[in-house]
Amino acid sequence: MLIQKHYFHNNKKWHIIRQSNKKCYNTFEKERLYIIMFLSRDNVVIRRARPSDAVLLANWWANGKIMAHAGFPNGIKTNIPELTKRIIDQNAVENPQNVLLIIEISGIPVGEMNYNIKDDGTAEIGIKICDVNYQNKGYGTISIKLLAGYLFDKKKIKKIVLDTNINNERAKHVYEKIGFIKTAINENAFIDQLGNWQTAVCYELSPNNLK
């Protein structure tokens, strides 16, 4: 059974596809209902991560160049079976609070996003364009706008928050262009893998400020 719903934000169409299917992903899971979310604009698609994405995500997270701004210049090692189970569990729930997402460009996975909905109506989000061939091409901007529109319109989120390393000039430019407001600079916010203190910049976005 396939049910498709269409929604609009700032004249940008996005849609959710709910799919009921009997499928056995692996030894962790038997037949189960799973939900697949698609947000799309032109050739950009944001979807819930699938169990088959676990290896790709683990490879991205192990890459120090991708993870440096998050404080992991040596990358991080991921337990793939545990990540696979996490994805299976999130996709068995129609309205999970903490969700891993994949960004696709013309059908090619190029990055990841996530959101975590808090009890106070705030959503914390994160994004990484992991494939260097797709960086600096505007895909991060499109992806954040799509996810923000979904969270504001469908999830009725009051505010979206995120933070980034103060040295991540590209990310700060994108966030401020979209409408995020800088709310704080947290010096010595965390220590990276090399033992260096890092400073974080905090941002928030309200529905009225989304450009």
Side-chain angles (χ1 to χ4, degrees):
M1 178 177 64
L2 193 66
I3 305 171
Q4 182 165 314
K5 297 183 179 180
H6 298 276
Y7 299 86
F8 292 82
H9 183 88
N10 292 344
N11 297 319
K12 305 291 192 305
K13 184 174 78 170
W14 56 270
H15 59 275
I16 298 177
I17 292 179
R18 300 173 56 192
Q19 183 170 343
S20 175
N21 191 13
K22 290 183 177 180
K23 186 168 184 177
C24 182
Y25 285 120
N26 56 27
T27 55
F28 286 114
E29 195 66 6
K30 296 182 179 180
E31 294 178 355
R32 199 166 192 180
L33 173 72
Y34 66 105
I35 310 296
I36 302 175
M37 181 185 79
F38 286 87
L39 312 180
S40 65
R41 177 183 170 189
D42 300 327
N43 63 334
V44 179
V45 168
I46 302 172
R47 60 171 175 79
R48 284 198 196 179
R50 302 166 183 155
S52 57
D53 295 316
V55 172
L56 178 61
L57 286 165
N59 288 337
W60 283 340
W61 296 345
N63 187 320
K65 291 183 179 179
I66 294 172
M67 299 296 292
H69 284 302
F72 302 99
N74 296 327
I76 56 176
K77 186 176 181 180
T78 302
N79 184 310
I80 294 176
E82 288 183 1
L83 177 58
T84 302
K85 184 177 185 302
R86 173 186 169 186
I87 294 171
I88 290 171
D89 289 343
Q90 82 166 23
N91 288 350
V93 179
E94 184 166 4
N95 294 300
Q97 299 298 98
N98 196 345
V99 181
L100 274 173
L101 305 166
I102 297 293
I103 303 168
E104 292 185 351
I105 308 299
S106 301
I108 300 171
V110 303
E112 58 151 325
M113 300 186 79
N114 63 81
Y115 68 83
N116 186 14
I117 299 176
K118 310 293 186 179
D119 292 337
D120 63 356
T122 297
E124 183 176 1
I125 70 169
I127 179 173
K128 288 191 288 291
I129 302 296
C130 302
D131 189 326
V132 66
N133 297 312
Y134 293 86
Q135 294 176 354
N136 299 314
K137 297 182 183 296
Y139 294 123
T141 300
I142 294 172
S143 298
I144 294 173
K145 286 184 175 182
L146 281 171
L147 182 58
Y150 167 76
L151 292 172
F152 288 141
D153 293 351
K154 177 63 176 176
K155 297 296 185 180
K156 306 304 179 185
I157 293 301
K158 301 174 184 176
K159 180 173 62 178
I160 295 173
V161 298
L162 53 77
D163 59 49
T164 190
N165 191 299
I166 197 169
N167 298 315
N168 194 344
E169 297 296 335
R170 181 177 64 205
K172 291 190 295 182
H173 171 74
V174 169
Y175 301 152
E176 291 169 15
K177 179 173 65 174
I178 290 170
F180 279 87
I181 304 299
K182 186 186 302 181
T183 57
I185 296 178
N186 294 332
E187 296 185 5
N188 299 330
F190 62 94
I191 300 177
D192 67 17
Q193 283 179 320
L194 303 181
N196 301 313
W197 283 101
Q198 300 293 328
T199 296
V201 184
C202 302
Y203 288 94
E204 68 176 46
L205 178 70
S206 64
N208 291 336
N209 289 336
L210 178 59
K211 299 177 181 178

